[in-house]
């Protein structure tokens, strides 16, 4: 049996390891568009803030170590651009060479993850505007800080990533402002009473929090200089957008997969509506344990 997995990291790499434990003879091929197949997402802000100093501490497995342990072929910098359920193949592009080819499968696991949501405001394409989702994103932000030594930063989004990054940038002496459209920080995570405690703690540390108002525009000529929010221009040498994610499933449109709001619908066994195709991770929508919906 040949299993092709689209995407590594938590979903795809875990599936590959589990398949090998269940079947010593299966052929396993994983295509990952980034350069890293398994890394600690929660550690990314702490590498930027120098709490983690060795880049290797971010990676849990390399393609070589994963193959040595599980005999699964990990092809990084390879992007799956289409799937063909009728002939059980996927189209793949080698992002380093530009080569395009098709790979056949007996079973297909879709775990392409998600990508950061871009707010629909002017200026998101300016220089010095970042998102933080991958190891490569982390290195880009870290390199910019080391080279340009920014004095101020505006973080759009008061979730876990936004606040973890706020903590680390503040520890580097950068003036930080967090802007969130929700009425509190950590929305959908803490109730308002707990969120207010977090807000007061951040304020005491000198981190400005603006809630109930989203980023209205990112200002600058070529590169960012300020962020328009709550009716004022907030100085910003650096902007990080962490307002949410959306499933990375654009390449799966018109394939016959049953989807809802861009996410792939699966049953209790993570099976899609198409034969021999499964989905897991941020790209998949599962049933709520309480409501069954």
């Amino acid at each position: 049996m040949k299993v092709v997995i689209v995407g590594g990291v938590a979903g795809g790499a875990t599936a590959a390891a589990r398949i090998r434990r269940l079947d010593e003879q299966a052929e396993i091929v994983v295509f990952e568009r980034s350069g890293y197949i398994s890394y600690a997402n929660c550690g990314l802000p702490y590498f930027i803030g120098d709490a983690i100093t060795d880049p290797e501490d971010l990676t849990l497995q390399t393609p070589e170590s994963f193959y040595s342990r599980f005999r699964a072929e990990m092809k990084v910098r390879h992007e799956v651009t289409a799937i063909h359920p009728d002939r059980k193949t996927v189209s793949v592009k080698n992002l380093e060479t530009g080569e395009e080819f098709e790979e056949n499968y007996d079973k297909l696991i879709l775990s392409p993850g998600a990508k950061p949501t871009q707010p629909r405001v002017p200026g998101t394409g300016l220089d010095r505007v970042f998102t933080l989702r991958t190891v490569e994103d982390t290195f880009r932000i870290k390199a910019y800080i080391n080279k340009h030594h920014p004095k101020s930063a505006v973080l759009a989004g008061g979730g876990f990533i936004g606040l973890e990054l706020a903590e680390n940038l503040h520890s580097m002496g950068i003036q930080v402002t967090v802007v969130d459209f929700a009425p509190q920080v950590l929305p959908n995570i803490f109730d308002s009473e707990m969120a207010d405690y977090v807000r007061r703690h951040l304020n005491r540390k000198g981190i400005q929090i603006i809630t109930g108002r989203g980023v209205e525009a990112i200002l600058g000529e070529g590169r960012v200089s300020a962020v328009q929010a709550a009716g004022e221009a907030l100085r910003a040498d650096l902007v990080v957008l962490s307002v949410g994610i959306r499933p990375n499933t654009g390449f799966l449109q018109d394939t016959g997969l049953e989807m809802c709001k861009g996410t792939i619908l699966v049953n209790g066994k993570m099976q899609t509506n198409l034969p021999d195709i499964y989905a897991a991770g941020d790209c998949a929508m599962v049933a709520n344990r309480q409501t069954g919906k």
Side-chain angles (χ1 to χ4, degrees):
M1 181 178 69
K2 180 176 181 179
V3 181
V4 168
I5 302 175
V6 180
V9 199
T14 301
R18 183 59 178 160
I19 291 167
R20 174 56 69 223
R21 292 188 177 102
L22 294 173
D23 187 345
E24 294 184 1
Q25 305 304 319
E27 180 182 357
I28 306 169
V29 181
V30 180
F31 294 108
E32 166 58 43
R33 64 180 298 179
S34 76
Y36 299 86
I37 57 137
S38 182
Y39 55 88
N41 300 72
C42 296
L44 301 184
Y46 296 94
F47 178 79
I48 293 172
D50 285 333
I52 298 174
T53 57
D54 188 345
E56 292 189 0
D57 287 340
L58 295 175
T59 55
L60 306 177
Q61 292 277 356
T62 66
E64 295 76 18
S65 66
F66 203 97
Y67 182 84
S68 175
R69 184 175 180 183
F70 298 109
R71 286 189 298 109
E73 191 173 0
M74 313 297 286
K75 295 192 174 184
V76 296
R77 302 292 297 156
H78 282 69
E79 180 179 9
V80 172
T81 57
I83 69 172
H84 312 288
D86 54 335
R87 58 180 184 268
K88 302 188 80 169
T89 65
V90 298
S91 296
V92 185
K93 182 176 182 178
N94 185 324
L95 299 179
E96 294 183 345
T97 66
E99 175 195 7
E100 297 184 16
F101 59 93
E102 284 196 9
E103 188 88 9
N104 68 293
Y105 66 84
D106 296 311
K107 304 287 184 181
L108 176 64
I109 298 177
L110 301 172
S111 184
K115 54 187 175 182
T117 300
Q118 291 280 0
R120 296 181 180 179
V121 299
T124 55
L126 290 174
D127 189 28
R128 302 183 179 180
V129 177
F130 301 91
T131 57
L132 180 56
R133 179 72 178 173
T134 66
V135 175
E136 288 91 344
D137 294 335
T138 308
F139 291 161
R140 280 191 289 267
I141 295 173
K142 182 66 172 175
Y144 165 72
I145 292 174
N146 289 344
K147 181 176 180 180
H148 297 283
H149 306 288
K151 302 299 183 183
S152 58
V154 173
L155 310 181
F160 278 129
I161 292 295
L163 295 192
E164 288 170 356
L165 188 56
E167 172 191 2
N168 282 277
L169 295 181
H170 178 265
S171 72
M172 302 173 76
I174 299 174
Q175 180 183 346
V176 178
T177 301
V178 177
V179 180
D180 199 306
F181 187 78
Q184 65 175 63
V185 295
L186 299 173
N188 304 318
I189 301 169
F190 286 159
D191 61 24
S192 59
E193 184 178 0
M194 288 296 294
D196 187 60
Y197 176 87
V198 174
R199 178 184 187 128
R200 286 186 279 113
H201 175 79
L202 293 170
N203 288 157
R204 285 195 298 269
K205 292 290 186 178
I207 296 174
Q208 183 180 4
I209 305 293
I210 298 174
T211 55
R213 297 290 296 270
V215 169
E216 298 155 3
I218 301 173
L219 310 175
E221 296 293 332
R223 66 186 186 188
V224 65
S225 60
V227 171
Q228 185 77 26
E232 63 176 312
L234 307 168
R235 180 182 172 183
D237 302 320
L238 164 71
V239 174
V240 180
L241 304 175
S242 56
V243 296
I245 58 174
R246 57 180 177 176
N248 190 26
T249 55
F251 71 102
L252 298 171
Q253 302 300 320
D254 303 320
T255 58
L257 278 173
E258 187 176 0
M259 305 177 73
C260 177
K261 298 180 180 180
T263 56
I264 305 167
L265 297 181
V266 296
N267 62 19
K269 296 183 178 180
M270 310 307 291
Q271 294 170 310
T272 70
N273 63 303
L274 298 181
D276 299 318
I277 300 181
Y278 300 75
D282 289 332
C283 70
M285 183 179 289
V286 297
N288 182 288
R289 286 184 179 270
Q290 278 70 45
T291 66
K293 296 180 179 179

